[in-house]
Every structure is written in structure tokens, then in C-alpha cells.
């Protein structure tokens, strides 16, 4: 599919992305053509250069325009089919251009993990933010109070998971003179030994009581993260999700949710179990207010060639579709010291390696420009600026060739690159994705 428009110029529900098209290309952005120095990002994108012959240097990370569009549409359709709202986790990409595209494709808002991320979202016009953490930083709460007071259309929701956390939030918001209450959802922990969250239903009630005793907070739902269920299986994840929905039903019967919000939020859903979330949420009985069943998966936008290729729920429900890996890291063979070994110029500073090593996929011949499968080529290790390749007998690799690698773990891939070429299948660069980590 051809994508002629520059997405840094798009305006999604969150509003236009400011100034990205006018940012100057310079030494900060690795891999970009040296002769583009001084051009704006918009001017460079308009030139539609080839990634391979347009002056780019290696290593360079590329994002497939077609795969990104496919993945955006697939999750939009999935959420609609299962009657879910969708607030993708923005910490995956920290790319406002992609937030805009997610909002255009039906996202309710964008999820954040820490105050810095929320600030980036607000600067770029995101009007609904779900913070999947308890927020107890007094400085951040003062900023939040000012944002809420200044913009009546701004919707913010965050976790609470302790009485002490509620006390700290209330204290900071009162000190800030907040005029609007902050909407909170109680985070139910995924089990003993899991990450954050209230461990028992009795403790959830105690936290709800603490929220009710304040004028600065408003309880609007319950939430959690099923990806932290210990020794997760479909049965264990299902059981925890049923605890979460039962908690919502119990709290609703007890009148614990604020009627002023106009809806009750029930939220879960990372990138590994959203099929189970959809199944359990579909069985949630009708509550006293409309229910916002909010999914928060984030890795789908780029998918990957490792962690999420293995974990995606679409492996279990192939009839629903399939995500496409969108990243490819191109590096150049700079040494071929033995027939069994080669080295390229991309390493830990360029490639995600926290979960899996990169996967050699294709070789672009330096002599002919032909692209072929990287048969017999395996990445066995990374130095800071080198990939170690094992080459089997007959592997056709020589110094100067470009090696295209698939990556695992989108979050770590995005945060190593500040400006990422968005590339069509024929190698044409149609835009550049700016990240803000």
C-alpha cells in the first residue's frame, strides 16, 4: 500500500503534532544522510529518498510503512469486534506521530507509565491519558492539577494501590489547590510475587474507603495487568481476570464508584493475553453505569521478530488476523576474518538485546543491490558497536554487504533511535518517526 502523506503533519484526536516537520536534521540523528544536514525533517521526507541509495549511513533502523498501517488497522478492528475501548501504551514508542495514528484508528486515549510520558503526551495534544501506576510524586501532581484546571476537556485516570498512596495524592493535590478531582482506579495485583497492585479484595475495599474520604480523588473503576500473573497460563490469567471483574461488580453494588464520572472503567490487557481479556470482559454483567472496557496493549504498533512474535494472542486465534513485524535494522559487514565469522557495524547501542539477540533475515549485495535471504547467517553476540555473525559453509556474505536484522522487544528498539525512517516495501523513505524518551 502506498503512503504518500507525511504523518508528522497529521492531526489525530489529540491534535496536531507540533514542530516535528520543521525540526532540523543534524548530527543528533544517527543513520541519516550527511548531505541532509540543515534540511527540515519535512523537506527530507518530501525528497522520498531510497534507504539504500539515498545517502543513509549504517547502521540505520527502518520501520515498515505498510506493516505499521496493517497493525494499526488490525487492532482497531479487533477492539471494535470485541466491544473494547483501547488506550495503547505509549511507552512502547514514545512517538507522538504514532499516537496520532492510533487515535485516528479509534483509540480512546494513550496509556502512560510515568509523569514524564504524560507531559510528552500533553505537549503533543493528547486529551485522554491513562497512567498505569500510582502517582505519588508531589511535583508531578502539582503539574497534573494545573493541567486539569486549565483544560476542562482533559481526561486523566491513574492507579491507586495503597492507603498511603491515597494520602500522599490527597495531600499534594490539596497543597496545589486542585479544583478538579483526579480520577483513580484501584489496581488489583496479579497475585503473590507479582508486581504492583493491591493483593486482596479486603485491601481493595480499604483503599476505596480512603479514596472516598478525600475531596481530591474520585473512584471510577478497577484495573490491573494480567501479564504479571505468576507462571501465566490461559487458566491462571482467566482466573485473575474474573477476580478483577468480580471486584468491579462488588464495588458497583456497594455504590463505591462515583456517579459523577458517568461510566465505570474496567481495564487490563497487555500484548500477550488480550484475547483472554476480551473473552472475560465480554461476560461482565451490566453495571449501574455504562462500562468502559479498556484494553492497553502497546507493542502491536510495530510488533517484533522475537518476544511478541512468540507471545501474541493471534497465535491462539489465527482467524482474527496476524500482526506484522515492522522493524528492520540494517548494518554493514565491516569484517570477514574467517569463513565462519563476520562482523557488522551495529551493536548494543543500536539493537534491542534485553530479551533476544537480533535475527539476521536478509542480505543486500553491495555489488548488485540484490536482496536475498540470509541463509546460514546467525547473530551470536553483540559488542557495543558490532554484531557477531556465525556464517555456515556456503553463506554468501562479504565485506560491504548490508545485513537486515529483525529485532525483539519493540520498547527497547524504539528508545535507541530518535528519528526513524518510515520505509515502503521498495525502500522509499516516506517519513521519519520522532521519539521522546
Amino acid at each position: 500500500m502506498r503512503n504518500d502523506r507525511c504523518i508528522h503533519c497529521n492531526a489525530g484526536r489529540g491534535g496536531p503534532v507540533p514542530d516535528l516537520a520543521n525540526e532540523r536534521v543534524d548530527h543528533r540523528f544517527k543513520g541519516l544522510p550527511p548531505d541532509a544536514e540543515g534540511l527540515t525533517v519535512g523537506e527530507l521526507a518530501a525528497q522520498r529518498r531510497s534507504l539504500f541509495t539515498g545517502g543513509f549511513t549504517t547502521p540505520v533502523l527502518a520501520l515498515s510503512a505498510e506493516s505499521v498501517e496493517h497493525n494499526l488497522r488490525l487492532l482497531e478492528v479487533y477492539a471494535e469486534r470485541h466491544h473494547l475501548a483501547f488506550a495503547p501504551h505509549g511507552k512502547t514508542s514514545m512517538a507522538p506521530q504514532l499516537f496520532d495514528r492510533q487515535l485516528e484508528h479509534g483509540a480512546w486515549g494513550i496509556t502512560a507509565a510515568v509523569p514524564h510520558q504524560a507531559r510528552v503526551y500533553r505537549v503533543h495534544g493528547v486529551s485522554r491519558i491513562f497512567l498505569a501506576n500510582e502517582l505519588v510524586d508531589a511535583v508531578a501532581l502539582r503539574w497534573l492539577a494545573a493541567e486539569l484546571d486549565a483544560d476542562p476537556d482533559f481526561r486523566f485516570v491513574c492507579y491507586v494501590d495503597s492507603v498511603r498512596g491515597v494520602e500522599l495524592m490527597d495531600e499534594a493535590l490539596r497543597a496545589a489547590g486542585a479544583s478538579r478531582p483526579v480520577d483513580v482506579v484501584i489496581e488489583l495485583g496479579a497475585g503473590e510475587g507479582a508486581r504492583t497492585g493491591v493483593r486482596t479484595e479486603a485491601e481493595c475495599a480499604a483503599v476505596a474507603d480512603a479514596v472516598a474520604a478525600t475531596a481530591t480523588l474520585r473512584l471510577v473503576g478497577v484495573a490491573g495487568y494480567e501479564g504479571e500473573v505468576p507462571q501465566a497460563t490461559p487458566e491462571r490469567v482467566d482466573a485473575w481476570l474474573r477476580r478483577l471483574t468480580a471486584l468491579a461488580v462488588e464495588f458497583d453494588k456497594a455504590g463505591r464508584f462515583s456517579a459523577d464520572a458517568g461510566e465505570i472503567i474496567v481495564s487490563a490487557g497487555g500484548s500477550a493475553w488480550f484475547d483472554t481479556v476480551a473473552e472475560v470482559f465480554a461476560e461482565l454483567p451490566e453495571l449501574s453505569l455504562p462500562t468502559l472496557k479498556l484494553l492497553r496493549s502497546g507493542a502491536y504498533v510495530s510488533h517484533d521478530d522475537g518476544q511478541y512474535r512468540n507471545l501474541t494472542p493471534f497465535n491462539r486465534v489465527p482467524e482474527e488476523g496476524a500482526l506484522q513485524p515492522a522493524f528492520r535494522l540494517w548494518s554493514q559487514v565491516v569484517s570477514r576474518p574467517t569463513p565462519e565469522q563476520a562482523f557488522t557495524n551495529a551493536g548494543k547501542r543500536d539493537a534491542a538485546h534485553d530479551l533476544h539477540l537480533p535475527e539476521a533475515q536478509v542480505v543486500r549485495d553491495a555489488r548488485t543491490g540484490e536482496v536475498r535471504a540470509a541463509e546460514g547467517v546467525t547473530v551470536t553476540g553483540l559488542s557495543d558497536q558490532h554484531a557477531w555473525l556465525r556464517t555456515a559453509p556456503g553463506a554468501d556474505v562479504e565485506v560491504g554487504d548490508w545485513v537486515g536484522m529483525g529485532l525483539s522487544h519493540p520498547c527497547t528498539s524504539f528508545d535507541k533511535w530518535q528519528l526513524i525512517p518510515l520505509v515502503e516495501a521498495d525502500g522509499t523513505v516516506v517519513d521519519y518517526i520522532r521519539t521522546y524518551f
Side-chain angles (χ1 to χ4, degrees):
M1 182 184 70
R2 187 178 175 89
N3 180 8
D4 287 321
R5 56 186 183 144
C6 292
I7 66 175
H8 57 243
C9 302
N10 288 349
R13 294 184 186 179
V17 178
D19 299 327
L20 296 185
N22 295 318
E23 188 161 16
R24 295 288 173 181
V25 175
D26 58 26
H27 62 278
R28 292 171 297 164
F29 306 122
K30 57 185 179 181
L32 298 193
D35 68 351
E37 179 95 12
L39 295 177
T40 67
V41 173
E43 288 168 343
L44 181 57
Q47 292 180 359
R48 298 178 62 86
R49 297 193 186 196
S50 167
L51 185 73
F52 305 112
T53 61
F56 292 84
T57 64
T58 56
V60 60
L61 183 66
L63 195 61
S64 164
E66 292 89 351
S67 293
V68 167
E69 181 63 29
H70 169 86
N71 295 342
L72 288 166
R73 178 60 182 160
L74 183 62
L75 259 289
E76 177 184 22
V77 170
Y78 184 89
E80 290 175 349
R81 182 183 299 129
H82 293 280
H83 308 290
L84 298 168
F86 193 32
H89 211 316
K91 58 99 176 173
T92 297
S93 70
M94 286 305 294
Q97 294 150 279
L98 296 181
F99 300 164
D100 253 7
R101 297 299 301 280
Q102 290 169 314
L103 292 164
E104 288 177 350
H105 280 271
W108 172 90
I110 306 293
T111 295
V114 293
H116 160 72
Q117 293 167 0
R119 289 184 62 205
V120 171
Y121 299 1
R122 287 299 290 160
V123 167
H124 291 89
V126 176
S127 60
R128 291 175 179 160
I129 297 174
F130 186 102
L131 185 77
N133 244 329
E134 186 168 67
L135 181 58
V136 295
D137 182 323
V139 174
L141 286 161
R142 183 165 61 246
W143 168 83
L144 173 62
E147 286 291 303
L148 288 168
D149 288 350
D151 183 357
D153 294 325
F154 174 37
R155 180 83 192 276
F156 178 89
V157 182
C158 74
Y159 284 174
V160 287
D161 84 342
S162 64
V163 171
R164 175 59 176 156
V166 170
E167 292 172 350
L168 289 170
M169 293 183 74
D170 180 49
E171 179 182 324
L173 291 168
R174 284 190 287 108
S179 63
R180 287 178 61 189
V182 171
D183 287 346
V184 296
V185 293
I186 291 179
E187 182 194 6
L188 177 66
E192 290 303 319
R195 201 166 61 188
T196 55
V198 185
R199 293 303 195 249
T200 70
E201 281 74 2
E203 291 173 300
C204 286
V207 175
D209 288 341
V211 171
T214 75
T216 57
L217 303 177
R218 185 170 70 167
L219 185 62
V220 298
V222 297
Y225 175 46
E226 76 292 340
E228 281 292 311
V229 170
Q231 299 175 320
T233 63
E235 295 75 21
R236 289 174 183 266
V237 171
D238 181 277
W240 178 80
L241 286 164
R242 293 187 187 282
R243 280 186 64 200
L244 181 69
T245 55
L247 182 67
V249 171
E250 177 187 339
F251 274 21
D252 186 44
K253 288 180 179 177
R256 290 186 177 277
F257 297 128
S258 172
D260 294 343
E263 65 185 5
I264 295 169
I265 297 174
V266 182
S267 179
S271 295
W273 296 101
F274 56 73
D275 58 330
T276 310
V277 172
E279 291 171 3
V280 175
F281 279 13
E283 298 178 16
L284 183 67
E286 186 173 345
L287 303 179
S288 63
L289 294 170
T291 305
L292 185 74
K293 301 173 184 178
L294 192 63
L295 191 67
R296 305 193 308 272
S297 313
Y300 80 98
V301 69
S302 66
H303 198 45
D304 75 358
D305 281 296
Q307 181 77 353
Y308 291 104
R309 177 179 63 191
N310 297 329
L311 294 180
T312 176
F314 289 115
N315 291 339
R316 295 186 291 272
V317 287
E319 67 277 6
E320 299 258 24
L323 293 168
Q324 297 176 359
F327 275 130
R328 179 162 284 170
L329 176 64
W330 289 96
S331 62
Q332 197 165 23
V333 178
V334 294
S335 181
R336 188 80 158 93
T338 73
E340 298 80 26
Q341 201 171 35
F343 293 86
T344 76
N345 60 351
K348 294 179 181 178
R349 302 302 177 95
D350 313 297
H353 59 92
D354 52 326
L355 296 178
H356 304 94
L357 288 171
E359 177 183 278
Q361 295 178 330
V362 295
V363 175
R364 187 176 190 277
D365 193 290
R367 299 177 188 273
T368 67
E370 173 197 3
V371 177
R372 59 182 178 270
E375 295 180 359
V377 181
T378 305
V379 180
T380 60
L382 295 174
S383 301
D384 274 359
Q385 302 293 175
H386 291 90
W388 295 56
L389 305 185
R390 182 176 65 243
T391 51
D396 189 7
V397 177
E398 67 174 346
V399 171
D401 290 346
W402 285 33
V403 178
M405 302 176 185
L407 302 175
S408 179
H409 198 184
C411 304
T412 315
S413 299
F414 275 108
D415 75 9
K416 291 180 178 293
W417 295 82
Q418 294 183 55
L419 201 60
I420 304 170
L422 187 71
V423 184
E424 291 183 338
D426 66 356
T428 301
V429 178
V430 296
D431 207 353
Y432 298 84
I433 304 300
R434 184 72 158 93
T435 65
Y436 291 86
F437 285 96

